[in-house]
Amino acid sequence: SVKPNLREPGDYFRIDSIGWTKEDKYIFALRSPVVEKHMENVYQCIMNFLVPASKDGDKQLGLGEKVKVLELGSGSGQHAVTICERNRDTIHWQPTDVSDLCVDSINRRTKFFNVIKS
């Protein structure tokens, strides 16, 4: 049997509207049904490691006591938004991806939900 090429974002993401703004009209971003299905379990697992991983933080960067997370292969940006929305004062999350389509989705999603400062 032939396995699908899972390196293409279109294989496991759908493009959906995430909202609307006056200046941008409808905002479209990638969405993964699998991420939505398992988000709460992933969130609970991650929080076991992140609360509080850093007591002193990095005061030179102005992050105070925030825990810094570099997410590799962030895909749609759904994890970044969900985790940052729930932990605005305690986590500095940096999503990354090699796919331009995914980076665009991450940027649109994090800007719309106002969770990550660039």
Side-chain angles (χ1 to χ4, degrees):
S1 73
V2 177
K3 292 184 179 179
N5 179 359
L6 294 179
R7 295 181 185 191
E8 294 299 320
D11 291 339
Y12 40 86
F13 293 119
R14 305 293 176 258
I15 297 176
D16 282 341
S17 171
I18 58 171
W20 189 89
T21 65
K22 189 172 184 176
E23 68 266 357
D24 296 322
K25 307 297 182 212
Y26 284 103
I27 309 294
F28 290 93
L30 298 176
R31 179 183 66 83
S32 169
V34 174
V35 168
E36 289 175 356
K37 180 179 179 180
H38 299 289
M39 178 58 77
E40 196 57 39
N41 291 333
V42 169
Y43 177 78
Q44 293 303 323
C45 180
I46 287 173
M47 292 314 293
N48 288 331
F49 294 98
L50 297 182
V51 178
S54 172
K55 297 271 187 201
D56 296 326
D58 189 338
K59 299 194 188 324
Q60 291 179 345
L61 295 177
L63 298 176
E65 294 186 8
K66 287 188 176 186
V67 175
K68 293 171 276 188
V69 177
L70 174 63
E71 180 185 24
L72 305 176
S74 303
S76 64
Q78 288 168 266
H79 288 121
V81 167
T82 300
I83 291 168
C84 288
E85 277 186 320
R86 296 180 186 184
N87 301 279
R88 289 181 189 267
D89 297 330
T90 57
I91 295 175
H92 176 80
W93 194 276
Q94 182 61 56
T96 63
D97 207 289
V98 297
S99 163
D100 290 340
L101 185 64
C102 290
V103 170
D104 185 52
S105 178
I106 293 163
N107 290 339
R108 288 170 184 253
R109 190 176 291 279
T110 57
K111 178 183 176 188
F112 180 76
F113 290 100
N114 193 32
V115 292
I116 296 177
K117 307 291 185 231
S118 49

